[in-house]
Amino acid sequence: MSRNIVLALDVGGTFIKTCVLEDGLPLQGSEMEFPALADRDRETILDHFISIFQAQYDLYQHQRRDAVTDCLYHIGMAFPGPFDYRQGICLIQGLGKFEAIYGLNLLHAFRERWPAGSSGKAGPLPDMDIRFENDARLFALGVSAEFPRARFIALTLGTGLGSAFIDSSRIMESGPGIPPNGWLYDQPYLDGRADDLFSRRGILKLAREAGILETAMDVKELAHEARQGNASARGVFAEFGARLGELLQPYVGGYRPDFIMLGGQISKSHDLFGPALLNRLQSSSSPALTVRTAEHVLAYTFRGIARMFSEV
């Protein structure tokens, strides 16, 4: 029986983190990190991706010399949006990253640069199935491997707001309580979009309005102040949690999840905003609802990438 090998890439604006998974499990010592080169020209970015694919493939062949003749190889990429994930077209514009590949079909572009080879030989890359997906969805798919029968909402809180609605390990894009595509980032809230308020810039905006945002202060420093007893800083996180709960109320009420799973850098401050979030949700939507946090988001994301090919 062939082994299912996935070269997994978590693509960020600063770094690209990678891992090789064999039959859904990470290969020990295969995690690597590369600069994203997201501000470079088109040719540099494309050639860089090909070199990363090659580095992962070579690493696997070096560690598994006995297995290279009987493998099915795939490439799975968690890519930030906006992005046409089905067609493989990058739609990122105006964000200072990957501007040079805007509108480009990456599937075609990679194929044009693909080195010829076969999976039975070391060296050139074999032909591989390549798939793209939103990072929040892949995080959620990875979580679903641990909770295969659960119905839950996954949120990633960081530079932006990512979301996915999962039911029995399936990504749900429509239905009661589900926004179009399962994406909350573009939903209206107060005087803007959810992405503007439930993100790094959203918390810093609250701190600025509270008059406590100092030069060079980021969410990490703000959280430190809150944990040291700064009442105003604690109030910022409490307000953030209450507002997040208010945003989620209609979706939780309609979707009726078993729990909410939080990931991303801001989720590390869950101890500060979590009580207000849960209080708002339990008081109006579901008294039994729980909120969980994931410590190893990247591991879940890699696992989710592998699950894209689990039916191959």
Side-chain angles (χ1 to χ4, degrees):
M1 184 174 179
S2 297
R3 298 188 186 186
N4 207 34
I5 311 305
V6 177
L7 312 184
L9 284 76
D10 181 55
V11 181
T14 305
F15 296 104
I16 298 172
K17 298 176 181 180
T18 72
C19 180
V20 179
L21 297 106
E22 183 180 64
D23 294 332
L25 299 176
L27 187 67
Q28 186 175 4
S30 69
E31 290 195 20
M32 305 170 72
E33 183 176 281
F34 302 85
L37 306 186
D39 60 345
R40 303 292 183 87
D41 62 273
R42 176 178 296 192
E43 296 303 312
T44 298
I45 291 173
L46 294 174
D47 289 343
H48 187 49
F49 276 120
I50 293 293
S51 70
I52 292 173
F53 302 157
Q54 186 74 60
Q56 287 188 293
Y57 176 68
D58 290 346
L59 183 149
Y60 180 75
Q61 289 215 324
H62 177 75
Q63 291 200 28
R64 288 285 194 267
R65 292 189 180 93
D66 62 325
V68 297
T69 59
D70 191 24
C71 294
L72 294 175
Y73 289 93
H74 317 277
I75 293 173
M77 302 179 70
F79 219 100
F83 197 100
D84 183 335
Y85 295 104
R86 289 184 174 85
Q87 299 295 322
I89 300 174
C90 180
L91 299 174
I92 299 173
Q93 193 174 36
L95 299 177
K97 59 184 180 182
F98 299 116
E99 300 274 354
I101 58 173
Y102 173 80
L104 185 66
N105 186 309
L106 293 180
L107 287 173
H108 295 165
F110 290 154
R111 294 298 179 199
E112 290 174 355
R113 289 162 176 74
W114 209 257
S118 68
S119 59
K121 297 181 180 180
L125 287 167
D127 189 32
M128 302 187 197
D129 179 16
I130 305 175
R131 300 183 188 180
F132 304 87
E133 188 50 274
N134 175 265
D135 52 355
R137 283 185 168 187
L138 291 169
F139 162 65
L141 276 181
V143 171
S144 72
E146 189 171 326
F147 303 96
R149 295 180 178 84
R151 182 177 177 88
F152 65 93
I153 300 173
L155 302 177
T156 53
L157 303 167
T159 56
L161 171 65
S163 62
F165 289 66
I166 300 293
D167 186 12
S168 300
S169 300
R170 293 176 296 127
I171 297 173
M172 307 299 290
E173 297 187 350
S174 62
I178 304 175
N181 301 305
W183 295 339
L184 290 167
Y185 81 95
D186 58 352
Q187 295 301 295
Y189 183 78
L190 296 183
D191 58 347
R193 302 185 312 163
D195 198 64
D196 300 320
L197 292 142
F198 303 106
S199 59
R200 170 183 173 271
R201 61 187 179 279
I203 287 187
L204 296 182
K205 181 175 184 291
L206 286 174
R208 188 178 301 110
E209 292 171 349
I212 60 172
L213 187 65
E214 299 177 3
T215 303
M217 177 179 280
D218 212 323
V219 177
K220 182 179 180 180
E221 290 73 29
L222 189 64
H224 176 74
E225 288 294 314
R227 294 187 181 106
Q228 291 299 307
N230 185 314
S232 296
R234 295 185 68 85
V236 165
F237 283 99
E239 180 66 16
F240 179 84
R243 289 185 177 187
L244 182 57
E246 185 176 54
L247 170 76
L248 293 175
Q249 280 176 354
Y251 306 104
V252 168
Y255 190 63
R256 301 186 65 81
D258 300 323
F259 60 87
I260 293 173
M261 177 65 80
L262 302 179
Q265 288 297 314
I266 294 175
S267 70
K268 295 178 180 179
S269 301
H270 173 258
D271 58 309
L272 298 171
F273 70 82
L277 165 63
L278 194 58
N279 180 64
R280 180 62 62 94
L281 289 174
Q282 288 183 337
S283 64
S284 62
S285 300
S286 175
L289 184 70
T290 60
V291 177
R292 304 169 183 259
T293 58
E295 293 185 12
H296 305 293
V297 174
L298 187 60
Y300 278 124
T301 301
F302 285 148
R303 196 170 184 181
I305 291 173
R307 285 174 70 83
M308 286 199 296
F309 305 95
S310 61
E311 297 180 359
V312 175

